[in-house]
Amino acid sequence: MIRIGLAYREYAVANPHLYAILFSDRGVQCPSDGDRPREVVETYRPLVDAVRRGQRAGQFGSTSDPEVIALSVWGTAHGLVSLVLSGNEPPELAVADCYERALRALVTGWRGSEESTAGLVAS
């Protein structure tokens, strides 16, 4: 999962114009989930597959939803990359210097999530 996140950042930084096209506002073009462009599914599916492989290997709990884990990793990677590409990095903090640590912390959190969140109720 970390390698996928690093490749995601590398591609985005090397090809910001293509990254911008891929994530342009499609709200008008795609009003429902069923109408999502093929590119969105193709970008997201490898992450879900990686989570499922991790579950089979015992790296993630088997009761955790692989779609939710993948979405949280993608959201973190996308958010950090978007901060860099838009020039909105926090002052005095280089996202490039902490990107991999942030992904590792998130993945580590998901690895222990079944034990640490047992019995918690969403409010």
Side-chain angles (χ1 to χ4, degrees):
M1 301 245 340
I2 304 301
R3 284 183 287 177
I4 292 172
L6 293 172
Y8 182 89
R9 181 189 66 187
E10 183 179 317
Y11 173 84
V13 170
N15 302 285
H17 57 292
L18 297 175
Y19 183 85
I21 291 169
L22 184 59
F23 292 106
S24 64
D25 183 11
R26 297 177 182 225
V28 174
Q29 297 170 333
C30 302
S32 70
D33 288 342
D35 294 332
R36 294 284 176 222
R38 185 186 87 251
E39 294 86 358
V40 171
V41 174
E42 290 175 0
T43 301
Y44 178 63
R45 188 57 43 206
L47 262 180
V48 175
D49 293 343
V51 171
R52 288 190 175 122
R53 285 191 304 275
Q55 285 177 315
R56 287 191 298 274
Q59 295 176 353
F60 296 107
S62 60
T63 61
S64 296
D65 184 343
E67 298 272 343
V68 173
I69 296 172
L71 180 64
S72 69
V73 172
W74 189 19
T76 298
H78 179 73
L80 292 173
V81 165
S82 294
L83 286 172
V84 170
L85 295 180
S86 66
N88 288 313
E89 290 179 273
E92 308 295 323
L93 180 63
V95 171
D97 295 340
C98 62
Y99 180 86
E100 184 173 347
R101 284 186 309 172
L103 291 180
R104 286 190 184 283
L106 181 64
V107 169
T108 298
W110 275 111
R111 286 182 177 155
S113 68
E114 285 187 44
E115 297 80 28
S116 64
T117 62
L120 292 179
V121 178
S123 52

